[in-house]
Amino acid sequence: LNLLKGGVSHVSVVGRRGHVQGAFTIKELRELTKLKKEGHNVSFVVRKEELDMGMTDASIEELKGPGGRPKSRIDKLLQDNALEDAPPKDAEKSVEIRFLLNPTQFAPHESDLSKVGHVLCERTRLEGDPGQQRPVGTGETEELPADLVLVSIGYRGMPLQGMDELDFFDSKSSTVVNDHG
């Protein structure tokens, strides 16, 4: 992660739903868990409490249902790496994945109102049937300190004008056609 080699010391990835509903792969998560072991001096943080909160009856059914094997492997990897308590504040660099938090407001920095200072998030809980759970706000809030915020909603790429006609876009995978992945 070149981003963490410079001045960035902490990266938080925030999701409104639980880990079972996440759109990441086991390979992506496994790479994050290896950052410290491979000499990058970066801790991977996931909170056991948030994993437990996301394990609704419907989430358990999702793990047991068709296509549940990859999600079960992800669940095991995250459970094996989860922290019982809040992460240590003295960690030099870290990547933290947060679940069941909905960013609701970007607040300015105290000393420079033109810069972001923190993100206000509302805790969510999951409701609904397996495969159709949705996050519902609980009213509980948490402030996450921030110097930079990148918003990513969804995970499907869209072709730029002309890409379809030139066969530059793979609509099945929602990616730009490429040779090296």
Side-chain angles (χ1 to χ4, degrees):
L1 285 175
N2 286 333
L3 181 69
L4 291 166
K5 288 182 182 175
V8 174
S9 62
H10 182 83
V11 174
S12 293
V13 179
V14 177
R16 296 175 303 132
R17 292 181 278 168
H19 68 287
V20 175
Q21 295 75 36
F24 36 73
T25 66
I26 187 82
K27 184 178 179 182
E28 291 166 332
L29 289 174
R30 193 175 294 122
E31 292 300 316
L32 291 174
T33 66
K34 295 178 182 178
L35 289 172
K36 190 165 207 106
K37 287 182 237 171
E38 292 180 352
H40 298 288
N41 199 25
V42 177
S43 298
F44 173 68
V45 178
V46 64
R47 298 171 187 225
K48 179 151 181 41
E49 174 188 25
E50 291 177 348
L51 299 179
D52 293 345
M53 287 188 297
M55 289 303 287
T56 63
D57 290 342
S59 293
I60 293 168
E61 286 302 314
E62 289 175 36
L63 292 176
K64 293 179 184 175
R69 185 172 181 269
K71 295 290 184 183
S72 293
R73 291 175 62 215
I74 288 170
D75 175 56
K76 179 173 179 2
L77 179 67
L78 290 174
Q79 295 286 353
D80 289 348
N81 285 275
L83 299 175
E84 293 284 343
D85 300 316
K89 298 230 186 253
D90 62 348
E92 187 175 322
K93 295 185 183 255
S94 63
V95 174
E96 183 172 16
I97 299 184
R98 301 294 308 271
F99 297 104
L100 301 166
L101 285 176
N102 182 27
T104 58
Q105 180 183 2
F106 301 138
H109 194 278
E110 293 174 3
S111 62
D112 185 347
L113 299 180
S114 69
K115 295 181 180 180
V116 69
H118 68 267
V119 178
L120 184 65
C121 296
E122 180 180 19
R123 173 67 63 201
T124 62
R125 69 175 184 280
L126 296 173
E127 290 184 358
D129 295 327
Q132 298 183 4
Q133 293 186 87
R134 63 191 182 289
V136 176
T138 64
E140 177 187 343
T141 60
E142 181 175 341
E143 280 186 11
L144 302 179
D147 294 317
L148 172 68
V149 177
L150 304 174
V151 178
S152 175
I153 301 173
Y155 61 93
R156 293 265 180 223
M158 302 295 291
L160 297 173
Q161 185 176 4
M163 289 182 106
D164 280 332
E165 295 82 18
L166 297 171
D167 290 328
F168 285 171
F169 191 78
D170 181 352
S171 295
K172 195 176 214 177
S173 65
S174 297
T175 60
V176 174
V177 175
N178 61 80
D179 293 328
H180 302 289

